[in-house]
Amino acid sequence: MTVTPIRLIGDPVLRRKADPVADFDAELRTLVQDLRETLADRRGAGLAAPQLGVSRRVFVIAPQLVGEGTVDHLVNPVLDFPDAEEQDGPEGCLSIPGIYLDTKRRLNVVAKGFTAHGDPVQVVGNGLLARCIQHETDHLDGVLFIDRLDAERQERLLAVAREARTAVKVSPH
């Protein structure tokens, strides 16, 4: 179990649909522990296996978001939305460091999946927890939060990227 480097935007593993987990074995439990330790080290809200370069359908959520006694990870998650309510708020990603943009998400979610031991589990979330569950499930489908931005916000992101590129100067020394 170890803190693992996080894959950054541009890495092809972040754009592939992750493979379903079939074996609930020691290797999977080690992956979940690596995800937990890396997430704690980076102080994020959630982390998906593809962000560690592993194409498996599993993610972890920061313990403070799920509360004590609730599972902090999901394997092979399936999402359901009990209503059409939406939220719009800042979102970032450990694979896209330093970028935080308002992103629309559903306000409420019911996530069903399994624990690392293969036990069925359900997590019901709203607000930030719902946002995190949707964000991490997107990672498992090869989707980044910037893909969810409306046209105006995407243009703003491109403008910031262009500005950053022109601000980089090469030292003559």
Side-chain angles (χ1 to χ4, degrees), residues 23-34 54 56 58 116:
D23 297 320
F24 293 82
D25 54 12
E27 183 181 328
L28 175 63
R29 289 186 287 283
T30 298
L31 173 59
V32 169
Q33 193 59 37
D34 289 348
V54 180
R56 307 274 302 277
V58 57

Side-chain angles (χ1 to χ4, degrees), residues 93-110:
C93 180
L94 293 173
S95 291
I96 311 173
I99 301 292
Y100 297 89
L101 295 166
D102 285 344
T103 307
K104 283 190 184 196
R105 295 279 186 183
R106 298 295 279 277
L107 181 62
N108 302 295
V109 67
V110 177

Side-chain angles (χ1 to χ4, degrees), residues 1 95 119 121 132:
M1 292 169 263
S95 291
D119 300 320
V121 67
C132 183

Side-chain angles (χ1 to χ4, degrees), residues 37-162:
E37 290 180 16
T38 303
L39 179 63
D41 181 70
R42 297 299 296 271
R43 295 186 176 101
L47 188 64
Q51 292 178 277
L52 299 188
V54 180
S55 185
R56 307 274 302 277
R57 294 188 71 78
V58 57
F59 66 78
V60 298
I61 303 166
Q64 63 270 24
L65 290 182
V66 292
E68 193 173 323
T70 304
V71 68
D72 70 342
H73 67 282
L74 279 175
V75 178
N76 296 337
V78 176
L79 304 188
D80 186 35
F81 303 99
D83 56 50
E85 272 191 89
E86 292 185 330
Q87 60 177 312
D88 195 8
E91 194 163 323
C93 180
L94 293 173
S95 291
I96 311 173
I99 301 292
Y100 297 89
L101 295 166
D102 285 344
T103 307
K104 283 190 184 196
R105 295 279 186 183
R106 298 295 279 277
L107 181 62
N108 302 295
V109 67
V110 177
K112 295 180 182 179
F114 299 90
T115 68
H117 293 281
D119 300 320
V121 67
Q122 175 176 292
V123 177
V124 177
N126 62 26
L128 184 56
L129 178 56
R131 177 179 296 282
C132 183
I133 290 170
Q134 292 168 78
H135 179 108
E136 300 311 326
T137 302
D138 272 355
H139 273 299
L140 305 181
D141 293 328
V143 175
L144 299 175
F145 87 97
I146 57 175
D147 300 328
R148 298 228 177 248
L149 300 175
D150 60 33
E152 179 183 327
R153 291 174 182 168
Q154 284 182 348
E155 183 53 43
R156 219 174 321 149
L157 175 61
L158 291 172
V160 168
R162 280 190 296 271

